[in-house]
Each structure stands twice: as C-alpha cells, then as structure tokens.
Amino acid sequence: MMIRPRRLRRTPTIRRMVQETHIKVDDLLYPVFVRHGKGEREPIRSMVGHYRLSVDELAQEAVELFSLGIPAVILFGLPNKKDESGSEAYARDGIVQQAVAAVKDRVPELVVFTDVCLCQYTDHGHCGIIRNGVVDNDATLEILSRIALSHAEAGADFVAPSDMMDGRIRAIRDTLERDGFKDTGILAYAVKYASSFYGPFREAADSAPQLGDRASYQMDPANAREALKEASIDVEEGADIIMIKPALPCLDIIHQVRSRISLPVAAYNVSGEYAMVKAAAQKGWIEGNKAMMEMLVSIRRAGADLILTYFAKEAAKLLFEHEKLYAEK
Ligand code: PBG
C-alpha cells in the first residue's frame, strides 16, 4: 500500500474542506496616512494604492472600510511642521487628534488605533527626544504619555506606541488610568526590529532619521530570545495586545511569542512587504492577489491573531467574492 496524501488535494471542494488556516476580514487592521487640508487624496509613490488623506477624505474612507467588513484602522499623521520635540504630536488640534474625532463621529463602530511615536513630528526624524546627541529614553516617556493621552481624549480606542523606548507601556498605562481613560487599550509594538522593510513607509510618512539609524532603540533582527523578553515586559507593564514587526522575516518569532503568552498577538505586514508584491506584480513577475493571500495566510499560520496590513481592503474584497461564489452555487 502506498500512503497517498494527494487524495486530500484532488478537487477544489476537498481542498476547501481540509484547509487548516483561514484569513478572516475580522482579523485585519488597515493603516491609513492622514494629512492636513481638505479634499486631499495624495497618492503615495512608494505604496501603490495608498494615499495621504485629508480628514474629510478619511471619514469617507472609514465608511467604505467598515462596509467591507474591516473592523479597524490604525492612523499615522503627517504634521504641518516638525520641531525638536515633535510638539504637533500631542497638540489638541494635531492631525491625528482631528482624524480620530472625525472617524469616530462618522463611523463610531470602527475601532480606531493610533500610532504613538515622534519620528514623523521631529525635525531630526528620530522616535524620541535627543539629549547630548542620543535618544533620551526617560525624557521621551513623558512626551509619549502626552501623545497617548491626547489620542485617548480625541476618542481613540487603542493607542499603539511604536517607539521602542523602555518603560513606555507602564508610563502610558499609568497616565491613561490617572486621567480617567481606563478603557483605552494599548497595542504594544513589543517586538520591533530595526528593519529595512520600513523604507516605503518612511517615504509615505516623511519620517526617515536625518542622522544615523534606529539601531539603538529598535531590535537586531538576529535576536529571538530578546523578542521573548520584550514581549513579556510589555505584558507585565499592561499591554492589551502584543505586536511583532515586521511580519514575514519574523514568522518564527510570531510562532514563539504566540506559544508563550496569552494576549492576542498581532503582526505588522509592513510597507516593504507590501511594496515588493506590488512592484513584482506590476512587472508581471508574480500574481499579486495570490502572493498577497499566501503572505497573509503564512502570517496567520505562524500564529498571529491579528494582521496590520496595507492589503486589508484588497483582501477583504477577495474574501467577499470567495464567499459569494459559494453562496451562488
Ligand atoms: C514609526 C513607525 C514606523 C512604522 C510604523 N510606525 C517606521 C519606523 O519605525 O521607522 C513602519 C511601518 C511600515 O513600514 O509599514 N516609528
């Protein structure tokens, strides 16, 4: 007798029955870039299909996203002006604060996450305050807490610190509790590597460091044990969701973190992962939709509960078509 695994691959319907991992639209978060102005929909060169939206356009977009079944957005702001301490990041009428309020006003059920960081807002492009030529951890914590609080005041459901300073989850949690925002959640960019796959984002958000790199605060991609340490610290400090970033080069890390902690685990399918697929598909070298689904399913298979992805809209449409196809038969 020969053992024949191919029996289970014989027809599309059999394959559908034995499929182990599924992508659900419920698991997807859509990142959006917001800018000042009105009626603005400025295409992002490095990220085909993505735009820097003004607040009114974003509100419109929110309606579409929710109608596609996408449960959540994560907002990234582009300020009017940058300065040494990134002051627009915590301004009451800052771009993200306005954007959160507008989305919550138009589509209250859409879950709004906000990226809490300084790199888009500082003139030097680093994710913290610079003192004596270095990114000063403890001085940055105060500012991060102010940013998070201002996002909570604007109505954000979750704040998502992406700076990689030590102690920021506790600092933000304490600030939110003290000021009465006990229901505002924290999605921690717990395991964030110093990755070259953030390139297209830095063009989109105009956030590249003017001097040096981020290696003194983001992690070395060669380290796995350190990822487990970072994840458990953020759990202890009060995070609600733990994130790993980037996703594709870190499937092993997603798997290990998932098996060790009980909080939901998110993975960020970052700008470079998106742009590579788009660029190769444009050249006709790969099938874009198939590559997208294979990527997303591999991230789920590794153990991510949630995926932040620039593909969320396209994936949602494809999943919807798939459902309809079988409903009609
Ligand atoms: C801000 C931030 C970055 C990303 C998310 N938040 C850029 C960086 O750390 O340089 C990258 C997201 C992406 O590439 O899609 N610190």
Side-chain angles (χ1 to χ4, degrees):
M1 183 205 66
M2 202 193 299
I3 297 174
R4 296 186 186 277
R6 287 186 55 193
R7 275 188 214 113
L8 295 178
R9 303 180 201 133
R10 196 168 50 84
T11 73
T13 314
I14 297 174
R15 292 197 290 272
R16 186 151 67 90
M17 292 170 71
V18 298
Q19 183 178 332
E20 296 176 32
T21 310
H22 297 88
I23 303 287
K24 296 197 288 7
V25 67
D26 313 88
D27 308 328
L28 306 178
L29 282 83
Y30 190 62
V32 189
F33 299 92
V34 206
R35 52 162 287 171
H36 287 279
K38 228 181 152 55
E40 299 282 356
R41 214 181 160 80
E42 181 191 352
I44 298 170
R45 246 177 11 107
S46 57
M47 299 176 67
V48 182
H50 279 263
Y51 303 85
R52 299 187 188 95
L53 301 176
S54 53
V55 171
D56 54 325
E57 291 285 326
L58 170 68
Q60 203 45 48
E61 180 86 9
V63 174
E64 188 194 341
L65 293 171
F66 200 67
S67 75
L68 284 168
I70 296 171
V73 287
I74 176 160
L75 302 178
F76 295 92
L78 290 120
N80 259 342
K81 64 169 194 359
K82 299 172 188 267
D83 58 28
E84 207 179 43
S85 65
S87 56
E88 198 185 310
Y90 49 86
R92 233 169 223 287
D93 61 349
I95 184 64
V96 168
Q97 292 77 357
Q98 290 183 37
V100 172
V103 172
K104 277 302 189 187
D105 184 51
R106 184 72 73 86
V107 193
E109 304 98 313
L110 187 68
V111 183
V112 176
F113 290 71
T114 55
D115 185 79
V116 172
C117 198
L118 279 165
C119 58
Q120 287 113 276
Y121 301 89
T122 49
D123 47 18
H124 47 74
H126 277 289
C127 304
I129 298 300
I130 299 202
R131 295 236 167 109
N132 305 321
V134 295
V135 175
D136 186 298
N137 195 87
D138 300 10
T140 303
L141 294 185
E142 264 170 59
I143 307 237
L144 291 173
S145 302
R146 285 177 74 172
I147 302 174
L149 181 61
S150 71
H151 291 177
E153 283 169 348
D157 297 291
F158 288 83
V159 292
S162 66
D163 51 280
M164 287 301 275
M165 297 302 120
D166 293 334
R168 77 262 165 81
I169 302 303
R170 176 161 292 134
I172 291 172
R173 180 93 276 159
D174 287 349
T175 302
L176 293 174
E177 285 281 331
R178 194 193 58 223
D179 283 69
F181 292 94
K182 58 182 188 337
D183 291 332
T184 307
I186 302 179
L187 163 70
Y189 284 70
V191 181
K192 180 173 179 182
Y193 288 100
S195 169
S196 35
F197 292 102
Y198 309 152
F201 173 97
R202 289 181 190 168
E203 185 181 317
D206 186 25
S207 67
Q210 298 302 303
L211 257 184
D213 56 28
R214 305 208 201 288
S216 81
Y217 42 103
Q218 299 182 349
M219 286 172 50
D220 180 345
N223 294 355
R225 290 193 306 270
E226 192 183 0
L228 303 177
K229 178 171 82 179
E230 284 284 4
S232 56
I233 291 171
D234 285 5
V235 172
E236 229 169 83
E237 291 189 11
D240 298 284
I241 305 173
I242 293 295
M243 192 217 289
I244 292 144
K245 176 180 173 198
L248 277 194
C250 301
L251 296 179
D252 58 327
I253 306 295
I254 295 171
H255 184 74
Q256 289 191 54
V257 169
R258 170 67 293 160
S259 66
R260 279 173 175 80
I261 69 167
S262 54
L263 294 182
V265 171
Y268 201 141
N269 179 212
V270 298
S271 58
E273 299 168 26
Y274 174 82
M276 284 193 302
V277 171
K278 286 289 172 198
Q282 249 174 10
K283 287 199 178 279
W285 292 345
I286 57 173
E287 270 187 62
N289 275 345
K290 284 194 169 167
M292 162 180 83
M293 281 313 201
E294 189 176 331
M295 257 190 184
L296 296 177
V297 95
S298 74
I299 298 167
R300 283 280 292 152
R301 195 190 62 228
D305 304 290
L306 301 169
I307 306 176
L308 291 83
T309 179
Y310 302 97
F311 285 121
K313 252 167 103 170
E314 287 165 83
K317 285 179 190 161
L318 220 66
L319 291 168
F320 181 72
E321 288 302 316
H322 180 87
E323 296 273 306
K324 216 171 61 181
L325 192 71
Y326 290 112
E328 279 167 2
K329 274 192 179 157

